Short mmCIF file of all heavy atoms in Angstrom, two decimals:
data_model
loop_
_atom_site.label_atom_id
_atom_site.label_comp_id
_atom_site.label_asym_id
_atom_site.label_seq_id
_atom_site.Cartn_x
_atom_site.Cartn_y
_atom_site.Cartn_z
N LEU A 33 -5.09 -5.22 0.26
CA LEU A 33 -6.28 -4.88 -0.51
C LEU A 33 -6.18 -3.51 -1.17
O LEU A 33 -6.74 -3.28 -2.23
CB LEU A 33 -7.53 -4.90 0.39
CG LEU A 33 -7.77 -6.16 1.22
CD1 LEU A 33 -8.98 -5.95 2.11
CD2 LEU A 33 -7.96 -7.36 0.32
N TRP A 57 -8.86 -4.30 -6.91
CA TRP A 57 -9.83 -4.80 -7.88
C TRP A 57 -10.49 -3.66 -8.66
O TRP A 57 -11.49 -3.84 -9.31
CB TRP A 57 -10.89 -5.68 -7.22
CG TRP A 57 -11.53 -5.10 -6.01
CD1 TRP A 57 -12.65 -4.32 -5.97
CD2 TRP A 57 -11.11 -5.24 -4.66
NE1 TRP A 57 -12.93 -3.95 -4.69
CE2 TRP A 57 -12.00 -4.52 -3.85
CE3 TRP A 57 -10.05 -5.91 -4.05
CZ2 TRP A 57 -11.86 -4.45 -2.48
CZ3 TRP A 57 -9.92 -5.83 -2.69
CH2 TRP A 57 -10.82 -5.11 -1.92
N ASP A 82 -12.25 3.09 8.05
CA ASP A 82 -12.25 1.72 8.55
C ASP A 82 -13.53 1.00 8.14
O ASP A 82 -13.49 -0.14 7.65
CB ASP A 82 -12.09 1.73 10.07
CG ASP A 82 -11.72 0.38 10.63
OD1 ASP A 82 -11.08 -0.42 9.92
OD2 ASP A 82 -12.07 0.11 11.80
N VAL A 83 -14.67 1.65 8.29
CA VAL A 83 -15.96 1.05 7.91
C VAL A 83 -16.00 0.80 6.40
O VAL A 83 -16.43 -0.26 5.95
CB VAL A 83 -17.14 1.96 8.36
CG1 VAL A 83 -18.45 1.51 7.74
CG2 VAL A 83 -17.24 1.98 9.87
N LYS A 84 -15.52 1.77 5.63
CA LYS A 84 -15.54 1.66 4.17
C LYS A 84 -14.67 0.49 3.70
O LYS A 84 -15.07 -0.29 2.84
CB LYS A 84 -15.04 2.97 3.56
CG LYS A 84 -15.22 3.07 2.10
CD LYS A 84 -16.67 3.30 1.78
CE LYS A 84 -16.82 3.78 0.35
NZ LYS A 84 -18.21 3.92 -0.03
N VAL A 85 -13.48 0.36 4.28
CA VAL A 85 -12.58 -0.72 3.90
C VAL A 85 -13.19 -2.08 4.25
O VAL A 85 -13.14 -3.02 3.45
CB VAL A 85 -11.20 -0.54 4.59
CG1 VAL A 85 -10.35 -1.80 4.44
CG2 VAL A 85 -10.47 0.66 4.02
N LYS A 86 -13.79 -2.17 5.43
CA LYS A 86 -14.43 -3.44 5.82
C LYS A 86 -15.57 -3.80 4.88
O LYS A 86 -15.73 -4.98 4.51
CB LYS A 86 -14.92 -3.35 7.27
CG LYS A 86 -13.79 -3.45 8.27
CD LYS A 86 -14.28 -3.35 9.68
CE LYS A 86 -13.08 -3.40 10.64
NZ LYS A 86 -13.46 -3.07 12.00
N LYS A 87 -16.37 -2.81 4.45
CA LYS A 87 -17.48 -3.08 3.52
C LYS A 87 -16.95 -3.57 2.18
O LYS A 87 -17.49 -4.51 1.61
CB LYS A 87 -18.31 -1.81 3.31
CG LYS A 87 -19.28 -1.53 4.42
CD LYS A 87 -20.15 -0.33 4.08
CE LYS A 87 -21.09 -0.03 5.22
NZ LYS A 87 -21.89 1.18 4.95
N GLU A 88 -15.90 -2.92 1.68
CA GLU A 88 -15.32 -3.35 0.40
C GLU A 88 -14.75 -4.76 0.51
O GLU A 88 -14.89 -5.57 -0.39
CB GLU A 88 -14.23 -2.38 -0.06
CG GLU A 88 -14.76 -1.09 -0.64
CD GLU A 88 -15.63 -1.30 -1.87
OE1 GLU A 88 -15.35 -2.21 -2.70
OE2 GLU A 88 -16.61 -0.55 -2.02
N LYS A 89 -14.10 -5.04 1.63
CA LYS A 89 -13.52 -6.37 1.84
C LYS A 89 -14.62 -7.42 1.86
O LYS A 89 -14.48 -8.49 1.27
CB LYS A 89 -12.75 -6.37 3.17
CG LYS A 89 -11.96 -7.61 3.42
CD LYS A 89 -11.17 -7.47 4.71
CE LYS A 89 -10.42 -8.74 5.02
NZ LYS A 89 -9.69 -8.66 6.29
N GLU A 90 -15.75 -7.12 2.53
CA GLU A 90 -16.87 -8.06 2.58
C GLU A 90 -17.47 -8.29 1.20
O GLU A 90 -17.82 -9.41 0.85
CB GLU A 90 -17.95 -7.54 3.53
CG GLU A 90 -17.57 -7.66 4.99
CD GLU A 90 -18.56 -6.98 5.92
OE1 GLU A 90 -19.66 -6.57 5.46
OE2 GLU A 90 -18.24 -6.84 7.11
N LYS A 91 -17.59 -7.21 0.40
CA LYS A 91 -18.13 -7.34 -0.95
C LYS A 91 -17.31 -8.30 -1.78
O LYS A 91 -17.83 -9.14 -2.49
CB LYS A 91 -18.18 -5.98 -1.65
CG LYS A 91 -19.27 -5.08 -1.24
CD LYS A 91 -19.19 -3.80 -2.08
CE LYS A 91 -20.04 -2.70 -1.51
NZ LYS A 91 -19.87 -1.44 -2.28
N VAL A 92 -16.01 -8.17 -1.71
CA VAL A 92 -15.11 -9.03 -2.49
C VAL A 92 -15.18 -10.46 -2.00
O VAL A 92 -15.21 -11.40 -2.79
CB VAL A 92 -13.66 -8.48 -2.43
CG1 VAL A 92 -12.69 -9.49 -3.00
CG2 VAL A 92 -13.57 -7.18 -3.18
N GLN A 93 -15.25 -10.66 -0.68
CA GLN A 93 -15.33 -12.02 -0.14
C GLN A 93 -16.67 -12.67 -0.50
O GLN A 93 -16.73 -13.88 -0.71
CB GLN A 93 -15.13 -11.99 1.38
CG GLN A 93 -13.69 -11.71 1.75
CD GLN A 93 -13.50 -11.55 3.25
OE1 GLN A 93 -14.44 -11.32 4.00
NE2 GLN A 93 -12.25 -11.68 3.68
N ASP A 94 -17.74 -11.88 -0.56
CA ASP A 94 -19.04 -12.43 -0.93
C ASP A 94 -19.06 -12.91 -2.38
O ASP A 94 -19.77 -13.85 -2.72
CB ASP A 94 -20.14 -11.36 -0.76
CG ASP A 94 -20.45 -11.10 0.71
OD1 ASP A 94 -20.02 -11.90 1.57
OD2 ASP A 94 -21.12 -10.09 1.01
N LYS A 95 -18.29 -12.28 -3.25
CA LYS A 95 -18.26 -12.66 -4.66
C LYS A 95 -17.47 -13.93 -4.93
O LYS A 95 -17.62 -14.55 -5.96
CB LYS A 95 -17.68 -11.52 -5.51
CG LYS A 95 -18.61 -10.33 -5.61
CD LYS A 95 -18.00 -9.24 -6.48
CE LYS A 95 -18.95 -8.05 -6.53
NZ LYS A 95 -18.37 -6.95 -7.31
N LYS A 96 -16.62 -14.32 -3.99
CA LYS A 96 -15.79 -15.51 -4.19
C LYS A 96 -16.60 -16.78 -4.11
O LYS A 96 -17.57 -16.92 -3.52
CB LYS A 96 -14.66 -15.55 -3.16
CG LYS A 96 -13.61 -14.53 -3.48
CD LYS A 96 -12.46 -14.66 -2.50
CE LYS A 96 -11.37 -13.65 -2.84
NZ LYS A 96 -10.27 -13.70 -1.91
#
Side-chain angles (χ1 to χ4, degrees):
L33 308 176
W57 50 90
D82 195 28
V83 169
K84 189 74 164 176
V85 168
K86 284 179 182 170
K87 281 185 182 176
E88 284 299 324
K89 187 176 177 182
E90 286 172 11
K91 283 182 194 176
V92 169
Q93 288 175 341
D94 288 346
K95 289 181 182 178
K96 287 184 178 178

